[in-house]
Amino acid sequence: MRSLKYAHSFEVFRELPEKLADLRALALNLRWSWHPETQELFEEADRELWTSLEHNPIELLNRISDDRLKQLASDEVYLAKLGVLKRDLDDYMAGDNWFDQKFPGERETTRIAYFCAEFGIHECLPIYSGGLGVLAGDHLKAASDLGVPLVGIGLLYSRGYFRQFLNSDHWQTERYPQYDFHRLPLVLERDSEGNPKRVKVEFPDRTVTCQIWRAQVGRVALYLLDSNVLDNDAADQGITDTLYGGDEEMRIRQESILGIGGFRALMEVGIKPTTCHMNEGHAAFLSLERLRQFMADHGCDFRTARQCVVSGNVFTTHTPVPAGFDIFQRPLLEKYVSKAVGDLGMPFEQFLRYGRIHKDNKNEPFNMAILAMENSNYVNGVSKLHAEVTREMFADRWPDYPLVEVPIGSVTNGIHTGTFMSQRMIELFDRHFGSGWREDMSDRGVWGRVDEIPDLDLWELRDNQRGDFVRFVRRHLRKRMAMNTASPMDVKRTNNVLDPRILTIGFARRFATYKRATLLFKDVERLKRLLHHADRPVQFVFAGKAHPRDDGGKKLIQDIVNFCRSEESGGRMVFLEDYDMNVAREMVRGVDLWLNNPRRPMEASGTSGMKVVPNGGLNCSILDGWWAEGFQSGTGWAIGDNEQDENENHQDWLDSLSLYDLIEHEIAPTFYYRTDNGLPTKWLEMMKKSMAELAPTFSTLRMVREYTSRFYVPSTRSFNNLVGSDLERAKHALVWRDRVASAWDRVRVAHVSDDAGSALKLGTGFEIHAEVELGDLSPDDVRVQVLVGRVTSNRELVDLNLAELEHVDSHGLVHVYRGKAIGEHAGAKGYIVRVVPFNEDVNVPSELSLVAWEPS
């Protein structure tokens, strides 16, 4: 039978009683996703429906019965709550904010565009796969709370990321439901005549059209592109079908739409960004479209446009290994972006150089991260350790600079505390500190007062949250069993799964092999002794998905589930299918301890462990990612140390021994040791220290403040300065760069002397005298610097401190510089002098990596 296609379409919407009209306004602003009181309002409307619809308020309003609506419309208490919450949202949207206080008068000249391939705002908007997306969603929420003038740009996947199902052999299978965007908290952007706003992206033999949807995330608009429109061929309608689905060609299509189409979408909705933030390399093609539009708007050439545009781009990498970056070969690039490159008047070979570390190596594949890096003056990793790893990966891009000065900084990730903190804990804080603390959940002063909360109150909360979680696990298991038509006996067994009184450890993440999900199973007999210890038993809850093409990850899941469902587990180990944001929230609120054991240093940052902290949970982790800087004695436990054996199997064995020892001899005894008052005093002491020290630091409020102060505002100022006065400063900067580059081979450090002698008293300063030849350059074109550091056994300088020398005199071509340095620490010290270019409109060494070193 032939399937029918519609000839005419229209949207049907549920008209609410006038008294309940504000429910739709609340539902269409995703601020409810981190506002518990608004969630409670939707839940009160129909608790069973709210749960069954995955907490989707738009679908709730579509499906709720007429009788129930009539009841609510006549319920004065409910209507009063609705009025209070609508006014609260209005006050939030219009209220004072951190950005305007910190940068008064700069809102009108600042517009940040944040591009990412996925956004995890809430489980009812399934356009995320894991950590990157949830981090991006938290970024938008924090930007909203802080009032940062930021918008998000992404893709709207009609089938999202896959839903996970385990077959009878416990092997992961994937299902891709089709989502109806009209039944999600989204609005289709339309023009003044009611027609959907659209953008077009040129592909080799056709043009792909995308419409634009908006998700309102508090004060922040998130624009999402959707290729499923009738103007497109059937194959192109499916470009935005699935997140990270398809082959390499599908990936370059999606990334073209994200970068090129996404930037055009901003123009279509009337936004001209001053700074574009590429969160991972998926969006790097936006640099091509931004350059093209800049050239057209200002009538300038490619180099002048690039001088401006690069100053207004930020790139964040989350990838700790070279294999993790998007790589494309020349034929595919020529097929899909040759037109975009040609529009810039740039030879394709020159474009390929922007995607290679070694620009002249034509055998090096094109790397999207390098394209993003080449077109951004601000580049960062997502933890201090990850920045070190990233600098090592890309050091050849700046061969004349020491590794520590490779211009890749770090902004350690955080979490949006309000999204993941339990209602129980929020109410406990309200009782002790008043509700005003919610205005800034990264306030170190508030978290420092956690000692004021009585131990009994805090432990009672932890017991209740663990009990809540055990009940959630049992409901989740029964729901999955019902979908798989399990026997009544199997369903009944779920009543005995987990024990709400037992130390509960959680492990949930993407099942990539480097995350070592089965490290705990290296010695099964020892694991069983931990599970069934007579006095100090332990129970584990696992969750997570493997990539659909990662059979190795699927095998890890199968092995874990086989053990969980065996008699050996005894109901003390559980795997939760179909990990999503809802499961994640329940886990981080309910477990006592979060386990993370990746192979160091392959965890760029990790944020899941941060989420247990404000809920009173502790961490046990490898010293990798955020934990490498977050761990301190008394806040949790470190598996192993900072060393890494080159033999991975041996390192796995060592780390498993460390993990077993920690659980058996430290973690479980600390949890179960009770004083006369029946409380685990030492555990509570660690909980409070963890919350006080870690919760305010590992927050997206802190993180977004850093991005704004260190990157967004400086890049916006730089961009605006270069664009002003008919691009005068940009043109001067280019002339200066050409002049400096052509004259640099005549720059040298001719002579250096000091009055330090062979030994120097600690804390004493010494004077450095340097004579420098600058050739055709002037002292205004350079900075002469001294790098002082500790001397190692092979004469290397480490632990560097940099100081500027002052120009004091000139003798013909020789310029004299002087300055002081101080012997701050005892030991063998040394220094070296260098000359670097300087221009306030050129970012050195990001844009111009020239340096002249003193001969050593």
Side-chain angles (χ1 to χ4, degrees):
M1 179 179 175
R2 182 173 70 90
S3 62
L4 289 176
K5 305 290 186 181
Y6 67 82
H8 310 279
S9 68
F10 50 89
E11 180 182 351
V12 177
F13 65 95
R14 177 73 169 277
E15 186 172 8
L16 298 173
E18 184 177 351
K19 291 182 177 181
L20 298 175
D22 285 340
L23 279 172
R24 191 173 300 278
L26 291 175
L28 284 173
N29 191 317
L30 281 145
R31 189 231 183 182
W32 60 259
S33 69
W34 71 94
H35 194 253
E37 290 81 2
T38 308
Q39 293 175 38
E40 287 178 3
L41 186 76
F42 292 127
E43 186 177 11
E44 283 181 36
D46 190 321
R47 295 182 190 281
E48 185 176 339
L49 198 58
W50 173 249
T51 301
S52 68
L53 296 175
E54 297 184 317
H55 313 119
N56 178 352
I58 294 296
E59 190 70 332
L60 175 76
L61 298 181
N62 288 337
R63 300 268 294 274
I64 195 168
S65 70
D66 288 337
D67 287 344
R68 181 57 179 156
L69 283 177
K70 288 178 182 177
Q71 291 174 0
L72 294 174
S74 61
D75 185 336
E76 294 301 325
V77 174
Y78 190 85
L79 293 176
K81 289 180 183 178
L82 173 58
V84 168
L85 291 171
K86 179 59 167 62
R87 288 191 295 275
D88 182 76
L89 176 62
D90 292 342
D91 291 344
Y92 173 85
M93 297 294 286
D96 294 336
N97 61 79
W98 170 84
F99 183 88
D100 289 334
Q101 294 168 8
K102 180 74 173 178
F103 305 103
E106 297 201 46
R107 176 172 298 277
E108 294 305 316
T109 58
T110 305
R111 178 59 70 186
I112 316 304
Y114 181 91
F115 287 72
C116 192
E118 53 174 302
F119 286 90
I121 310 292
H122 187 265
E123 61 267 19
C124 77
L125 188 59
I127 55 172
Y128 64 95
S129 70
L132 177 69
V134 175
L135 184 279
D138 282 7
H139 195 112
L140 299 194
K141 293 173 184 177
S144 171
D145 289 341
L146 296 169
V148 178
L150 179 145
V151 297
I153 303 93
L155 300 181
L156 186 57
Y157 304 98
S158 60
R159 301 174 72 192
Y161 199 53
F162 69 89
R163 305 299 299 264
Q164 180 190 55
F165 290 84
L166 302 181
N167 65 19
S168 58
D169 294 324
H170 307 155
W171 187 259
Q172 174 184 293
T173 61
E174 299 85 30
R175 299 181 190 175
Y176 293 88
Q178 191 78 32
Y179 296 102
D180 180 352
F181 301 149
H182 294 282
R183 297 161 75 175
L184 299 176
L186 299 168
V187 173
L188 185 62
E189 289 290 302
R190 299 180 184 274
D191 62 22
S192 58
E193 297 179 356
N195 300 311
K197 291 186 176 182
R198 295 181 170 184
V199 296
K200 298 181 183 296
V201 178
E202 298 82 7
F203 281 174
D205 54 353
R206 67 211 186 271
T207 297
V208 175
T209 301
C210 295
Q211 55 190 2
I212 308 165
W213 296 79
R214 174 172 50 84
Q216 193 65 39
V217 186
R219 297 176 173 120
V220 170
L222 168 60
Y223 295 101
L224 301 165
L225 273 67
D226 162 31
S227 70
N228 190 16
V229 297
L230 288 178
D231 299 34
N232 295 328
D233 293 339
D236 291 334
Q237 290 175 21
I239 292 175
T240 56
D241 251 10
T242 59
L243 172 60
Y244 304 138
D247 56 12
E248 199 172 75
E249 188 157 7
M250 178 58 77
R251 193 162 77 249
I252 199 171
R253 290 175 186 169
Q254 288 187 338
E255 294 184 5
S256 296
I257 288 177
L258 174 61
I260 297 173
F263 195 84
R264 291 178 181 175
L266 292 176
M267 301 300 108
E268 185 65 22
V269 298
I271 295 172
K272 283 198 170 185
T274 54
T275 292
C276 289
H277 185 171
M278 293 170 272
N279 194 42
E280 262 305 354
H282 308 116
F285 289 142
L286 81 82
S287 57
L288 301 179
E289 179 60 19
R290 192 176 187 193
L291 284 165
R292 185 194 70 79
Q293 291 203 26
F294 191 95
M295 291 166 64
D297 290 345
H298 295 275
C300 66
D301 63 350
F302 169 75
R303 290 192 70 218
T304 305
R306 190 167 182 273
Q307 183 65 41
C308 298
V309 166
V310 170
S311 71
N313 284 343
V314 176
F315 170 54
T316 298
T317 172
H318 297 252
T319 307
V321 290
F325 297 112
D326 277 340
I327 302 294
F328 294 120
Q329 300 298 328
R330 177 171 186 154
L332 203 57
L333 286 164
E334 285 186 315
K335 181 176 180 181
Y336 282 96
V337 297
S338 57
K339 184 181 186 306
V341 172
D343 287 343
L344 301 177
M346 176 171 46
F348 202 79
E349 187 55 48
Q350 181 182 341
F351 167 69
L352 293 176
R353 291 168 60 86
Y354 286 127
R356 299 193 292 245
I357 296 180
H358 307 96
K359 300 190 179 306
D360 296 323
N361 180 5
K362 296 185 178 181
N363 293 320
E364 184 179 328
F366 188 93
N367 186 322
M368 291 291 281
I370 298 172
L371 176 65
M373 194 176 296
E374 283 283 333
N375 286 285
S376 302
N377 269 352
Y378 302 86
V379 180
N380 71 283
V382 289
S383 70
K384 291 177 182 177
L385 179 58
H386 178 232
E388 293 175 15
V389 171
T390 306
R391 284 193 287 269
E392 289 179 1
M393 280 195 287
F394 295 104
D396 286 354
R397 169 68 177 77
W398 295 272
D400 294 326
Y401 277 80
L403 188 61
V404 294
E405 289 193 299
V406 169
I408 299 172
S410 70
V411 178
T412 302
N413 284 345
I415 62 154
H416 187 259
T417 308
T419 295
F420 295 98
M421 192 172 180
S422 74
Q423 180 67 3
R424 288 185 185 274
M425 188 67 81
I426 289 173
E427 290 172 353
L428 181 66
F429 271 49
D430 285 351
R431 287 201 302 273
H432 287 277
F433 309 132
S435 61
W437 76 277
R438 299 195 201 187
E439 296 299 316
D440 181 2
M441 289 191 175
S442 67
D443 185 346
R444 184 166 291 277
V446 170
W447 291 101
R449 295 176 60 194
V450 73
D451 272 335
E452 299 175 18
I453 300 176
D455 283 356
L456 181 61
D457 288 1
L458 196 55
W459 190 244
E460 184 178 78
L461 178 143
R462 283 298 316 147
D463 274 343
N464 286 332
Q465 289 192 164
R466 191 185 315 106
D468 291 342
F469 180 53
V470 169
R471 286 186 287 274
F472 167 81
V473 168
R474 292 171 180 174
R475 288 195 305 271
H476 187 86
L477 291 175
R478 286 194 288 269
K479 177 182 175 183
R480 304 302 294 190
M481 287 181 170
M483 296 171 70
N484 294 324
T485 62
S487 70
M489 184 63 70
D490 286 336
V491 174
K492 188 176 180 180
R493 286 196 188 101
T494 62
N495 295 328
N496 299 318
V497 167
L498 303 185
D499 185 326
R501 299 162 298 178
I502 287 179
L503 170 61
T504 305
I505 300 177
F507 179 100
R509 55 200 12 91
R510 182 167 53 90
F511 269 70
T513 51
Y514 78 86
K515 293 180 182 284
R516 300 191 298 183
T518 54
L519 187 70
L520 194 64
F521 297 80
K522 286 289 181 183
D523 186 339
V524 173
E525 292 304 314
R526 193 166 182 186
L527 173 59
K528 287 191 290 186
R529 291 198 297 273
L530 292 174
L531 292 173
H532 305 295
H533 193 285
D535 301 313
R536 299 188 297 274
V538 180
Q539 58 194 10
F540 295 87
V541 180
F542 287 83
K545 297 177 178 179
H547 189 278
R549 293 191 295 273
D550 182 6
D551 283 349
K554 291 182 181 183
K555 182 64 168 61
L556 295 178
I557 292 174
Q558 184 184 50
D559 290 344
I560 290 173
V561 176
N562 283 337
F563 185 86
C564 290
R565 299 187 180 180
S566 69
E567 291 185 4
E568 295 174 303
S569 165
R572 289 189 177 165
M573 187 170 284
V574 175
F575 183 89
L576 300 179
E577 288 180 62
D578 203 27
Y579 185 51
D580 65 1
M581 288 188 70
N582 182 46
V583 174
R585 283 195 307 273
E586 296 291 345
M587 287 190 70
V588 299
R589 293 169 179 176
V591 301
D592 300 294
L593 185 80
W594 195 261
L595 176 61
N596 186 29
N597 43 235
R599 187 171 287 118
R600 176 185 163 96
M602 298 180 71
E603 184 81 279
S605 177
T607 57
S608 55
M610 301 174 188
K611 294 163 189 166
V612 302
V613 172
N615 290 297
L618 297 177
N619 277 271
C620 176
S621 176
I622 295 289
L623 289 168
D624 197 8
W626 80 281
W627 195 237
E629 57 197 85
F631 169 71
Q632 52 183 287
S633 178
T635 60
W637 290 271
I639 302 169
D641 52 30
N642 288 315
E643 300 301 317
Q644 189 67 33
D645 197 302
E646 291 184 4
N647 184 321
E648 291 184 350
N649 290 331
H650 186 243
Q651 186 64 52
D652 291 350
W653 177 72
L654 290 174
D655 288 341
S656 70
L657 291 181
S658 175
L659 176 56
Y660 291 133
D661 285 342
L662 283 173
I663 296 173
E664 183 175 1
H665 300 300
E666 295 188 38
I667 295 170
T670 304
F671 180 86
Y672 284 105
Y673 176 73
R674 308 295 161 97
T675 55
D676 292 339
N677 59 10
L679 298 176
T681 307
K682 176 64 175 176
W683 188 274
L684 282 159
E685 180 184 313
M686 294 183 70
M687 282 172 56
K688 289 182 173 181
K689 184 174 182 180
S690 169
M691 295 170 79
E693 296 293 331
L694 304 181
T697 300
F698 297 100
S699 158
T700 44
L701 292 176
R702 183 273 310 158
M703 181 190 82
V704 173
R705 286 191 195 106
E706 276 197 61
Y707 275 112
T708 304
S709 300
R710 292 173 51 194
F711 298 158
Y712 294 162
V713 170
S715 65
T716 285
R717 290 171 179 169
S718 178
F719 177 80
N720 288 338
N721 286 338
L722 291 171
V723 172
S725 303
D726 196 24
L727 310 182
E728 196 65 28
R729 291 179 67 161
K731 294 171 183 175
H732 285 164
L734 277 178
V735 171
W736 178 87
R737 284 177 60 170
D738 290 343
R739 181 169 60 82
V740 169
S742 63
W744 197 255
D745 60 352
R746 295 185 294 282
V747 175
R748 73 184 190 96
V749 180
H751 176 74
V752 176
S753 61
D754 62 65
D755 62 1
S758 59
L760 192 69
K761 187 183 295 184
L762 183 66
T764 304
F766 64 98
E767 187 168 281
I768 298 170
H769 173 100
E771 296 178 1
V772 175
E773 295 178 6
L774 297 179
D776 295 333
L777 302 181
S778 76
D780 291 337
D781 294 320
V782 302
R783 288 290 184 266
V784 177
Q785 302 170 333
V786 56
L787 279 76
V788 183
R790 179 169 58 85
V791 177
T792 66
S793 57
N794 60 357
R795 297 185 64 228
E796 284 188 5
L797 274 180
V798 296
D799 302 332
L800 299 175
N801 290 308
L802 184 146
E804 301 276 356
L805 300 184
E806 181 183 356
H807 183 260
V808 295
D809 201 1
S810 297
H811 304 292
L813 296 177
V814 176
H815 299 271
V816 180
Y817 288 80
R818 287 199 182 96
K820 282 195 172 183
I822 298 176
E824 295 181 345
H825 304 284
K829 303 295 179 180
Y831 71 88
I832 188 169
V833 173
R834 72 180 181 190
V835 186
V836 295
F838 173 80
N839 185 298
E840 62 181 8
D841 289 326
V842 177
N843 194 317
V844 176
S846 180
E847 291 183 68
L848 195 63
S849 58
L850 299 174
V851 59
W853 292 97
E854 170 192 359
S856 56

